[in-house]
Amino acid sequence: MKKHLPSEEMKKDLDNLLSKLNAMEIVAKDEFQTNTVKVLRALVEGQIHSINEFEHLKKAIDLLTLQLFDVQNKTRS
């Protein structure tokens, strides 16, 4: 099974996709193509936002774990 890419690499790939979507929007010939690019852009930006939020959650869990260890150590002392 394939491992997940690091978050920075995923964000870089998604940023590259946004650049391609910008180029696609410039050469779009009709309203359908323009609207399709807008939908795809919203999806890619949503993915970037989700990755950022996941990083925040990981940090929060790490801080909470440290606090739990501190409380546990104080009750044992």
Side-chain angles (χ1 to χ4, degrees), residues 8-29:
E8 288 304 315
E9 195 170 332
M10 287 191 300
K11 286 193 285 188
K12 180 183 167 192
D13 290 344
L14 290 168
D15 190 49
N16 289 339
L17 282 175
L18 281 177
S19 296
K20 290 177 184 179
L21 288 171
N22 289 335
M24 288 173 65
E25 186 174 26
I26 291 170
V27 299
K29 297 186 188 310

Side-chain angles (χ1 to χ4, degrees):
M1 183 161 46
K2 189 175 177 181
K3 286 191 170 190
H4 290 278
L5 296 174
S7 63
E8 288 304 315
E9 195 170 332
M10 287 191 300
K11 286 193 285 188
K12 180 183 167 192
D13 290 344
L14 290 168
D15 190 49
N16 289 339
L17 282 175
L18 281 177
S19 296
K20 290 177 184 179
L21 288 171
N22 289 335
M24 288 173 65
E25 186 174 26
I26 291 170
V27 299
K29 297 186 188 310
D30 58 24
E31 188 177 340
F32 174 77
Q33 290 177 347
T34 303
N35 289 335
T36 301
V37 169
K38 288 179 181 179
V39 169
L40 291 172
R41 181 180 292 113
L43 292 172
V44 171
E45 288 172 346
Q47 283 295 106
I48 292 171
H49 179 74
S50 294
I51 291 169
N52 290 335
E53 287 299 314
F54 184 70
E55 288 174 351
H56 292 300
L57 286 172
K58 284 176 25 181
K59 288 177 186 175
I61 290 170
D62 288 344
L63 290 172
L64 182 61
T65 303
L66 287 173
Q67 290 296 316
L68 287 171
F69 284 132
D70 284 346
V71 168
Q72 188 178 28
N73 288 336
K74 287 179 183 178
T75 58
R76 288 184 181 169
S77 301

